[in-house]
Amino acid sequence: MKKQNKNLAALTPPLGWNSWDCYGPAVNEEQLLGNAEYMAEHLKDFGWQYVVCDIQWSEPNAGKEGWAYVPFAPLCLDEYGRQIPAENRFPSSAGGKGFAPVAEKIHAMGLKFGIHIMRGVPRLAVHRQLPVLGTDTTCNRIASSDSVCRWNSDMYGVDFRKPGAQEYYNSIFNLYAQWGVDFVKVDDICNTNMYPHDPYSAEKEIEMIRHAIDQCGRQMVLSLSPGPAVIEKAWHLRKNANMWRITDDFWDQWDLLLHMFERCEVWQRHVSEGCWPDCDMLPLGRIRVTIDGVGEYTHFTHDEQITMMTLWSIFRSPLIMGGEMRDNDEWTLSLLTNEEVLRVQQHGKNAEQVLRSEERVIWKSDAEDGSRYAAFFNLTKQPQEISIPLAELELDGSCHVRDLWKKENLDDVAGILSATVPAHGAVLYQLTQI
């Protein structure tokens, strides 16, 4: 088997949508395709392309208890212990079609389709002793009963030492390839949180998944969750995955956004083609819909939303929209379709934190044309003036200045770059030497 160059699946950080922030475990086919149609109409021309169905898609009763997971929930499985979509939620999957009809519709829109899975083998497949496709073993013989997720009871880990373990992972990714899956988010694997002394205990399962993708014949983006990722294992993550979460679940709270500056500082040297430390989904627009059927708009202020989008973009995190996009207001849509900011995220190079204190943060990166990007962040509750000598941005003399959020040119500067930045806000400039 010729090993894939996994970096080719994501030469730039992915732009997409994930169902979790708005629908939790309960998204259905109509909601999934509805958001895909919105993306195709409003976002595709700006580079957005991935539509990802998050957790519990094989559980018929998901969402009946709101956001909570149902302990030992019944899952829909095929005869080889592989999860298949629940037909009551994804009616086009009936007759053994799986996600192929959904993927076909999304591909016809010019987009790409992704799914979420938990690492391991379903408990039900283990208890039923279902066969592993292409082997003479069964699911109970490959399972590791002491390797379990602490927050979801659906799976056992797969013991890489057992005959048939790799073949099981091969079988599920071969199935996903048949469906037309382009993106797989694997959960409970980047930081398992099972063993405090070894948060990266699923290392061998990551390797089995990498091998399974390589042999399936279809290029897929591999995204690992949850975080925080283990910085000492950056080499292993870069070798095997395209995305890995550097935080636990990120929501619309200022303290969580504040912590992301430290996480981005830690991971800034590990950003490269095909290797994208992931700041998690963007809790923008209308989110938490499954809780009461209505949801609410993000708690972030407009300035905090600018801060989040600016940090994610200059750091070059994937941008994965989390809200119900069909309810986007003009402001939310404008955040997602600013082509000048998206260019920073897609094509910036050598992103680096220049300064971080309790009051302010400054980042810089290089543009394709040789100019420089600079981002100022105000961490305080009051507007403040932030300044930096151009020399600290590795610039000499005078510069033209363009405000990328406002899409307007500002006065030229010489020697020092300054900006008045709103409370919890940010500015993002492109600087071109004169």
Side-chain angles (χ1 to χ4, degrees):
M1 180 194 71
K2 184 178 180 180
K3 187 173 182 179
Q4 291 185 20
N5 179 353
K6 62 94 180 171
N7 291 343
L8 295 177
L11 291 177
T12 57
L15 299 167
W17 175 84
N18 179 290
S19 61
W20 173 255
D21 282 0
C22 47
Y23 293 113
V27 69
N28 61 37
E29 184 167 334
E30 182 278 329
Q31 294 158 346
L32 196 69
L33 291 176
N35 277 274
E37 290 166 357
Y38 180 95
M39 182 181 290
E41 181 178 353
H42 299 284
L43 300 177
K44 183 175 69 173
D45 290 345
F46 296 87
W48 297 79
Q49 58 180 335
Y50 291 97
V51 178
V52 182
C53 179
D54 210 87
I55 197 167
Q56 304 302 117
W57 44 263
S58 70
E59 182 188 346
N61 298 318
K64 296 292 178 65
E65 297 185 17
W67 218 266
Y69 297 117
V70 178
F72 309 105
L75 306 179
C76 297
L77 307 177
D78 71 4
E79 66 269 34
Y80 298 109
R82 302 176 297 184
Q83 291 170 269
I84 56 176
E87 292 182 13
N88 63 318
R89 295 169 54 199
F90 302 94
S92 70
S93 69
K97 296 184 181 69
F99 270 128
V102 166
E104 183 178 1
K105 290 178 181 178
I106 289 174
H107 291 157
M109 300 177 200
L111 304 175
K112 295 184 177 182
F113 174 58
I115 59 173
H116 170 291
I117 64 170
M118 297 290 292
R119 71 175 176 91
V121 56
R123 284 176 182 264
L124 286 176
V126 171
H127 297 161
R128 294 173 184 172
Q129 300 183 17
L130 295 178
V132 175
L133 180 63
T135 75
D136 59 2
T137 193
T138 52
C139 290
N140 55 301
R141 293 175 178 170
I142 66 169
S144 178
S145 60
D146 64 345
S147 178
V148 294
C149 177
R150 67 179 179 84
W151 45 266
N152 183 294
S153 60
D154 291 347
M155 315 291 279
Y156 288 121
V158 170
D159 187 340
F160 74 98
R161 297 164 295 188
K162 300 293 182 63
Q166 183 64 60
E167 287 77 8
Y168 179 77
Y169 269 121
N170 291 353
S171 76
I172 65 173
F173 278 89
N174 288 341
L175 180 63
Y176 304 156
Q178 293 169 22
W179 288 347
V181 171
D182 306 295
F183 182 113
V184 181
K185 173 185 173 182
V186 185
D187 216 335
D188 190 41
I189 198 166
C190 187
N191 186 327
T192 63
N193 294 310
M194 287 193 309
Y195 311 111
H197 65 282
D198 186 13
Y200 202 65
S201 60
E203 180 173 344
K204 293 300 182 181
E205 285 198 75
I206 293 174
E207 293 174 8
M208 283 193 286
I209 290 168
R210 177 73 263 154
H211 180 87
I213 295 174
D214 289 343
Q215 63 82 49
C216 79
R218 185 176 182 85
Q219 201 170 68
M220 299 179 191
V221 174
L222 176 58
S223 170
L224 304 181
S225 286
V230 180
I231 187 64
E232 292 81 5
K233 293 294 184 178
W235 69 271
H236 192 262
L237 291 161
R238 290 171 57 87
K239 181 179 179 181
N240 292 286
N242 300 111
M243 296 167 49
W244 53 89
R245 282 261 298 278
I246 62 174
T247 179
D248 204 340
D249 283 5
F250 178 82
W251 284 102
D252 48 336
Q253 300 166 224
W254 172 250
D255 62 328
L256 296 181
L257 180 51
L258 194 60
H259 291 157
M260 290 308 298
F261 288 96
E262 178 181 356
R263 301 193 188 283
C264 290
E265 177 185 347
V266 168
W267 283 96
Q268 63 185 320
R269 299 301 182 199
H270 299 282
V271 176
S272 64
E273 287 186 346
C275 302
W276 309 113
D278 178 15
C279 294
D280 201 13
M281 288 170 281
L282 302 165
L284 294 172
R286 189 161 72 95
I287 55 179
R288 292 182 282 267
V289 177
T290 294
I291 291 177
D292 57 10
V294 177
E296 58 185 348
Y297 272 80
T298 181
H299 293 165
F300 281 140
T301 66
H302 281 191
D303 287 322
E304 289 167 348
Q305 292 173 54
I306 290 286
T307 289
M308 176 177 62
M309 288 292 294
T310 302
L311 179 60
W312 269 232
S313 294
I314 199 162
F315 175 72
R316 300 194 74 194
S317 170
L319 296 179
I320 308 295
M321 170 63 176
E324 168 49 83
M325 294 192 294
R326 294 173 293 182
D327 293 331
N328 281 352
D329 55 14
E330 184 177 345
W331 165 261
T332 305
L333 181 59
S334 73
L335 292 176
L336 305 176
T337 55
N338 185 315
E339 65 275 11
E340 298 188 34
V341 173
L342 292 175
R343 190 175 300 120
V344 179
Q345 187 260 1
Q346 287 287 288
H347 301 294
K349 300 289 184 184
N350 307 314
E352 180 182 0
Q353 181 178 273
V354 179
L355 176 152
R356 182 162 69 90
S357 69
E358 292 184 0
E359 294 82 27
R360 64 195 67 181
V361 177
I362 298 175
W363 277 71
K364 69 178 180 67
S365 71
D366 299 330
E368 290 177 291
D369 63 1
S371 60
R372 185 70 32 82
Y373 297 122
F376 290 0
F377 301 91
N378 178 3
L379 308 186
T380 73
K381 296 180 180 179
Q382 302 294 328
Q384 66 164 314
E385 184 86 6
I386 298 178
S387 301
I388 189 170
L390 290 177
E392 293 190 26
L393 299 174
E394 300 179 2
L395 294 168
D396 298 322
S398 301
C399 290
H400 300 307
V401 182
R402 183 165 178 82
D403 186 318
L404 300 186
W405 280 113
K406 295 181 179 179
K407 299 183 181 180
E408 62 183 32
N409 295 325
L410 306 180
D411 292 337
D412 294 344
V413 298
I416 294 177
L417 177 66
S418 299
T420 300
V421 186
H424 290 185
V427 297
L428 180 59
Y429 293 149
Q430 185 169 7
L431 307 170
T432 305
Q433 285 198 286
I434 299 173

